[in-house]
Amino acid sequence: MNTYDVIVTREKGAWLAQVPTVPGASTFARSLPSLLTSIREVIVLMDDLPDDAAPEVTLTFDVEDRAVHEAGHLADERRDIAARERELQSATADAARRLTQAGYSVRDAAVMLHITPGRVSQLTNA
């Protein structure tokens, strides 16, 4: 699924959103959760997606408030860390399977991977 970049501004107590890659796709709301809902609805309508589509969006805040920009950077970092964590989980599961298949005990594999023996068992039995 495509990720849509959304430019968000603030005006007179409302959040305004525009999707540059989808002509005519703009909306507004008083809160960011409501804005996200509206953005997705507008994208579905304007980009002719299936009614049950849940497009991914990335927000870029075009505002003067430094705190908003800092929050955006933190959100980006959290997204990067979550992606890296998913990669590490997959690599750990692969390593646990390879170690136990090579004849190492669950306890030895746990020490090598710095996880519990129970977690090694879960990963190798999944």
Side-chain angles (χ1 to χ4, degrees):
M1 170 151 307
N2 289 342
T3 298
Y4 294 84
D5 292 321
V6 179
I7 307 299
V8 178
T9 58
R10 183 107 169 127
E11 189 175 306
K12 296 180 183 175
W15 293 102
L16 293 82
Q18 184 175 19
V19 186
T21 58
V22 182
S26 61
T27 188
F28 70 95
R30 291 202 177 273
S31 70
L32 287 174
S34 296
L35 186 71
L36 284 171
T37 299
S38 295
I39 289 168
R40 289 187 175 103
E41 289 172 355
V42 166
I43 290 170
V44 167
L45 289 171
M46 301 300 289
D47 213 17
D48 199 26
L49 300 177
D51 290 342
D52 61 346
E56 289 290 322
V57 298
T58 300
L59 304 180
T60 300
F61 292 92
D62 186 11
V63 296
E64 296 296 321
D65 192 337
R66 181 177 170 89
V68 172
H69 290 283
E70 289 173 4
H73 291 298
L74 289 171
D76 291 343
E77 285 184 46
R78 293 177 62 79
R79 228 181 339 269
D80 293 345
I81 289 169
R84 181 67 181 129
E85 187 172 352
R86 286 189 299 275
E87 292 170 4
L88 283 171
Q89 288 172 348
S90 178
T92 300
D94 290 342
R97 282 190 288 277
R98 287 194 317 272
L99 287 167
T100 57
Q101 288 170 354
Y104 295 99
S105 72
V106 167
R107 291 186 183 280
D108 288 345
V111 169
M112 286 185 255
L113 293 169
H114 198 66
I115 59 178
T116 66
R119 184 66 181 137
V120 172
S121 294
Q122 287 175 333
L123 293 171
T124 57
N125 292 326

